[in-house]
Amino acid sequence: MVTRRDLIAGAAAFSGSAAAGFLAVGRRVKARAADPQEVIARPIAEGVKAVTFDLAERPTALPCFDGKTLPLWTFESGTTFPIVRMKLGERFDTVFKNNLPMAGEVASIHWHGLRIPNDQDGVPYMTQQPIAVGSEGRYSFVPPDTGSFFFHTHCNSTEHFGRGLIGVLIVEGDEISPPDDEVVLLMKDWRIGPDGAFLPFTTDEGAAKGGTPGTVRSVNGERSPVITVPSSADIRIRFYNLDPMRISEIGFENAGAAIIAVDGNGIPPMPFESWRMGTGMRLDVLLRTAAPGESVKLFDYFSKEPYVLAEFKSEGPPKRTGPFEPTPLKVMPFAKLDETSAQRMPFEFSATPTGASIAAAGTVSDIQIGPLCLSKRTFWAINKQAWPGHDHKDLGPPFAVLKSGNSYIFELKNTTPRSHPIHIHGHTFEVLSSSLRHHPRVRCDTVLLLPNERIEVGLVAGEPGKWMFHCHILEHQEAGMMGYIEVV
Ligand code: C2O
Ligand code: CU
């Protein structure tokens, strides 16, 4: 792999280009062709945002489809990836209708990263009964934290993500000094065959390895979009890895940039060299854009060759002069981990014997999703237990019962040659240590566990309920690398 360091032309990290100009005002809200679009939320009462979704199939020709139209599944008409923006303290009310085109295709919406009450978490059979085709579901909650979150269904997710059924939820209110602009980048590949139709979203071979890869890459529905930004400005980029399986390592070529939040959680600005991200992970970056007429490229250094995810082209007079000095975001209050009293819990992430032999043999066949939103075969396990293939009346026991308010240290041990982005619902982890690298002490809801790595994460048990704990490579999740913890 080519690392970020090999490619940095000069350590420009915190030295912005000086140019005469004026200070920034305003934020660009202009939408570009294939951008995720903002949902127009109906104000129903002071401090309440109400959104109605209509989950359905909508033939769409995104720019990355090269003129082809594909049967995407989306949350609403006219928008491929909706963005819901709200302010901290507002209530969010959603009504959604399941109009998906396949008989028996149940749905529920999970709000990834949000620490909301368990009955709003959107996990079928676990926190609610799933919503059948033709029926309506609703959610209502007040997000307790600011940040970059997203939402998705939680059954047959490989296909749902594969068809584009994902949306962004941004809770505003963390900025001490507003940036000059903001851009949301949503990275996602598509599985399209030579005939222009979707390929099977999952294969045994992919599910038993790192996941079944897409054939067409995209950011906001385009291949390597060129995004116009103000010159010499500090812009906030909310980067989302929402591919069903891809691991990426993002970084800028030769630009002043700082990481300001991980999975929506503000951190003291950290020079941004590169950051490795699995599916479900988000990164907020502050970038000092280039001088007028010049551009800065965002790369994925984890591809075979460094791949240009997006290019930021500067236009107009420079907004800022002087050095790049990123302002930190406000940090939301959270319960402090008590490391001395914390109870330690080991979690081993492994392959099942079937998974290992399929990965070795390279068999290709479709896997079927059964009634528990799981594949009928299990290739992966947590603590030697593959998420039960039996029926949803018996979910099996939790991995552990945690007491709300108590501190825990999860020892995550990967005994496989694959990376696994490990996600917990309704909580954030604090990364304490890694056996393989220096991992900054950040809070996140999804932590990337590298091949054969051991990571320790701290966790203060939150709201009571059953909280899913799983790999966010969707085929791993569906093929056994999932379970739950129970907070009482
Ligand atoms: Cu985005 Cu259960 O996860
Ligand atoms: Cu995994």
Side-chain angles (χ1 to χ4, degrees), residues 25-361:
V25 279
R27 310 274 295 270
R28 188 174 45 89
V29 274
K30 189 183 65 179
R32 289 167 292 265
D35 266 3
Q37 302 282 314
E38 286 186 28
V39 169
I40 310 301
R42 251 176 327 120
I44 53 167
E46 183 70 18
V48 179
K49 280 267 166 81
V51 167
T52 308
F53 287 133
D54 173 21
L55 280 61
E57 179 167 297
R58 299 187 173 92
T60 307
L62 292 180
C64 63
F65 297 163
D66 293 331
K68 292 170 203 114
T69 297
L70 283 143
L72 300 195
W73 291 4
T74 62
F75 281 97
E76 58 171 16
S77 158
T79 307
T80 301
F81 306 121
I83 300 180
V84 177
R85 268 179 201 275
M86 34 191 319
K87 301 218 180 331
L88 186 66
E90 280 179 331
R91 174 168 287 276
F92 181 55
D93 275 351
T94 318
V95 177
F96 82 93
K97 183 95 194 266
N98 177 0
N99 280 322
L100 294 175
M102 292 193 326
E105 193 66 27
V106 297
S108 62
I109 306 177
H110 170 58
W111 312 94
H112 182 122
L114 286 169
R115 300 188 299 153
I116 51 180
N118 192 246
D119 62 1
Q120 301 300 302
D121 197 44
V123 180
Y125 308 112
M126 174 78 65
T127 67
Q128 68 168 90
Q129 285 307 308
I131 304 302
V133 171
S135 298
E136 260 181 21
R138 23 182 100 233
Y139 299 94
S140 179
F141 52 81
V142 181
D145 302 307
T146 53
S148 304
F149 305 106
F150 71 107
F151 51 96
H152 59 85
T153 53
H154 216 278
C155 186
N156 194 14
S157 305
T158 305
E159 174 160 9
H160 290 206
F161 272 64
R163 290 181 182 271
L165 191 58
I166 38 186
V168 163
L169 176 60
I170 292 171
V171 184
E172 296 179 334
D174 55 6
E175 288 167 357
I176 292 168
S177 106
D180 302 317
D181 199 354
E182 181 183 309
V183 178
V184 176
L185 296 183
L186 194 156
M187 182 187 85
K188 188 198 135 26
D189 301 356
W190 305 88
R191 279 184 51 74
I192 306 173
D195 60 349
F198 276 132
L199 294 166
F201 295 102
T202 179
T203 59
D204 270 1
E205 191 201 13
K209 292 184 173 173
T212 307
T215 57
V216 170
R217 296 196 68 164
S218 80
V219 168
N220 296 357
E222 286 184 67
R223 294 176 204 248
S224 311
V226 178
I227 297 165
T228 305
V229 292
S231 306
S232 307
D234 288 352
I235 67 165
R236 178 173 187 170
I237 297 167
R238 299 181 190 257
F239 186 89
Y240 286 74
N241 179 350
L242 297 190
D243 189 61
M245 55 75 69
R246 180 183 283 282
I247 311 281
S248 58
E249 179 157 340
I250 64 168
F252 285 109
E253 161 205 61
N254 208 14
I259 300 177
I260 53 174
V262 174
D263 286 353
N265 304 290
I267 54 167
M270 185 164 74
F272 179 33
E273 293 199 345
S274 72
W275 194 257
R276 196 172 295 187
M277 298 171 75
T279 170
M281 296 167 74
R282 293 89 63 210
L283 197 71
D284 284 54
V285 172
L286 197 70
L287 166 73
R288 172 63 60 90
T289 61
E294 290 174 16
S295 63
V296 172
K297 288 183 181 137
L298 179 69
F299 282 92
D300 178 357
Y301 296 106
F302 201 63
S303 309
K304 280 199 196 82
E305 295 288 322
Y307 174 84
V308 179
L309 289 164
E311 184 175 336
F312 297 89
K313 191 164 189 316
S314 292
E315 252 182 39
K319 292 265 189 200
R320 293 188 188 232
T321 57
F324 176 52
E325 277 163 3
T327 322
L329 297 174
K330 284 183 214 159
V331 176
M332 296 296 111
F334 57 93
K336 211 176 146 349
L337 180 76
D338 179 0
E339 277 187 67
T340 50
S341 76
Q343 187 183 337
R344 302 182 80 87
M345 299 191 162
F347 290 96
E348 186 194 341
F349 297 83
S350 62
T352 62
T354 331
S357 63
I358 286 184

Side-chain angles (χ1 to χ4, degrees), residues 209 349 380 416 418-422 470-477 481:
K209 292 184 173 173
F349 297 83
W380 303 98
T416 78
R418 307 283 161 196
S419 293
H420 303 283
I422 303 301
H470 62 85
C471 177
H472 217 284
I473 291 180
L474 303 172
E475 289 166 284
H476 291 183
Q477 169 187 358
M481 202 175 260

